[in-house]
Amino acid sequence: MREILVRILAGVAVLWAAASLAFVVLQLLPSDPVQVIYGADSTVTPEMRDRIRAEYGLDLPVHQQYANFISRLVQGDLGESYQQRRSVVSIITSELGSTITMAVLAVGFAVTLAVLSALLTAGRRGFWRWLISGIELVAIATPAFWIGILLLTFFSFRWAIFPVMGDSSWRSLVLPVATLGLSLFGTLSQVMRQEMDMALEQPFALTARTRGLSEWALRWRHALRHALIPGLTISAEMFGALLGGAIITETVFGRPGLGRITLQAVRNQDIPVVIGVVLFAALVFVTINILVDLLYRLIDPRVQRAGA
């Protein structure tokens, strides 16, 4: 319990540091928020400029702006978009569902492939291991947008099985999920197989074999558990990164999501939205790390005994 509390306090410190860094970057940017709100080609009178600066608190001393910024964050207020004139929280929540759906399915797809690959090839040599290892290397070396373009070329343009873009049905999710899942699969599979290779050479594996345990049962019941902790760590990091916005994949497939609004915000210099997404991504990583720490104790009791 004490260790979990320490983790939570460390997470709060990370969020505070991320928020402070975001505020400093905001102050250093050369762009004028008033000009961003009205548009680069618009003429802004001094009265209009003073009114906007007072409305957003930009006329206050820097230390007071920082105090107001942190105070709003504590209350869950990420500010208002310069371009859309909506709260940043409402913009993020409106796009979050699409991103979560795609991230969950993509990580689930990658984990399923990686577990099957590790179970089938760990501790073995031969053609199938060589083939799957080659596929993993290709998946790692190929950028996600290239995988997406290849899938679009064959499954959308040539064979017309799945739609090219959009978010109209489950069929529009297949190619984006496959793109992200395949790009994540290679690293995850290699790490899990390496852990299983080492587990199958441990004395407990020899003991289990001498007692008549089948090779498949040994892999499924015992060796896989050793591969789950590094697999869980990598999967959690990948999931957190995807929740922060799969910008390239969402752009290639024309899907809504956090990646799309982040790209639009950067293009339009809509700083409150950019900072909001950055802080949301930091919150996701902190939360996932705490949850993963808790899961470690369920998967491997030795971790709990070591922390006691």
Side-chain angles (χ1 to χ4, degrees):
M1 190 65 186
R2 180 174 173 275
E3 190 177 349
I4 295 174
L5 182 60
V6 170
R7 288 280 185 182
I8 293 175
L9 291 177
V12 172
V14 169
L15 291 176
W16 171 76
S20 299
L21 181 61
F23 179 82
V24 171
V25 172
L26 174 63
Q27 296 300 315
L28 295 177
L29 286 176
S31 60
D32 181 1
V34 178
Q35 205 64 52
V36 172
I37 292 171
Y38 279 99
D41 299 329
S42 301
T43 301
V44 183
T45 64
E47 292 77 16
M48 295 166 64
R49 186 178 298 277
D50 291 341
R51 182 174 60 80
I52 291 295
R53 291 182 66 82
E55 181 180 341
Y56 284 88
L58 301 173
D59 56 342
L60 300 173
V62 174
H63 70 277
Q64 193 168 347
Q65 290 185 45
Y66 176 73
N68 292 341
F69 175 68
I70 296 296
S71 175
R72 288 199 308 270
L73 289 183
V74 171
Q75 301 171 46
D77 181 4
L78 296 175
E80 184 179 89
S81 163
Y82 290 160
Q83 292 288 321
Q84 302 185 42
R85 307 304 296 268
R86 296 167 53 199
S87 74
V88 174
V89 172
S90 70
I91 293 173
I92 291 176
T93 53
S94 66
E95 303 286 338
L96 190 57
S98 177
T99 299
I100 287 179
T101 302
M102 188 171 64
V104 169
L105 292 175
V107 172
F109 179 55
V111 169
T112 302
L113 288 181
V115 168
L116 289 175
S117 168
L119 286 172
L120 293 173
T121 61
R124 292 172 176 159
R125 297 290 183 269
F127 172 76
W128 290 109
R129 175 155 178 154
W130 174 81
L131 177 63
I132 292 178
S133 297
I135 294 173
E136 292 166 355
L137 287 176
V138 171
I140 293 172
T142 307
F145 73 90
W146 264 113
I147 297 176
I149 290 173
L150 287 174
L151 293 177
L152 279 174
T153 301
F154 288 100
F155 292 98
S156 295
F157 298 129
R158 178 166 298 185
W159 299 324
I161 298 175
F162 299 109
V164 177
M165 59 175 56
D167 188 29
S168 56
S169 68
W170 65 268
R171 295 173 67 244
S172 61
L173 259 175
V174 173
L175 294 186
V177 167
T179 299
L180 290 174
L182 289 174
S183 64
L184 303 176
F185 153 74
T187 303
L188 189 59
S189 178
Q190 286 189 339
V191 171
M192 294 187 72
R193 184 173 53 246
Q194 184 178 6
E195 291 295 324
M196 287 188 66
D197 279 340
M198 291 190 291
L200 291 172
E201 294 177 356
Q202 297 296 316
F204 78 85
L206 178 61
T207 303
R209 289 189 180 101
T210 57
R211 290 182 177 180
L213 191 67
S214 69
E215 186 66 22
W216 177 255
L218 173 62
R219 291 165 182 270
W220 178 255
R221 295 179 190 172
H222 302 286
L224 181 60
R225 175 171 294 196
H226 289 256
L228 284 182
I229 287 186
L232 179 64
T233 304
I234 295 176
S235 301
E237 290 180 358
M238 291 173 173
F239 184 67
L242 292 182
L243 283 187
I247 295 176
I248 295 176
T249 303
E250 288 177 358
T251 302
V252 169
F253 292 96
R255 289 185 54 77
L258 290 181
R260 187 188 64 168
I261 65 169
T262 303
L263 184 61
Q264 290 176 347
V266 171
R267 282 176 176 168
N268 298 328
Q269 301 182 31
D270 197 345
I271 303 303
V273 176
V274 176
I275 290 179
V277 173
V278 170
L279 294 179
F280 173 74
L283 176 62
V284 167
F285 272 106
V286 168
T287 305
I288 286 178
N289 278 325
I290 293 174
L291 292 177
V292 167
D293 282 345
L294 295 176
L295 287 175
Y296 283 167
R297 289 159 171 75
L298 294 177
I299 295 173
D300 191 347
R302 292 174 299 177
V303 176
Q304 189 166 10
R305 288 196 293 269

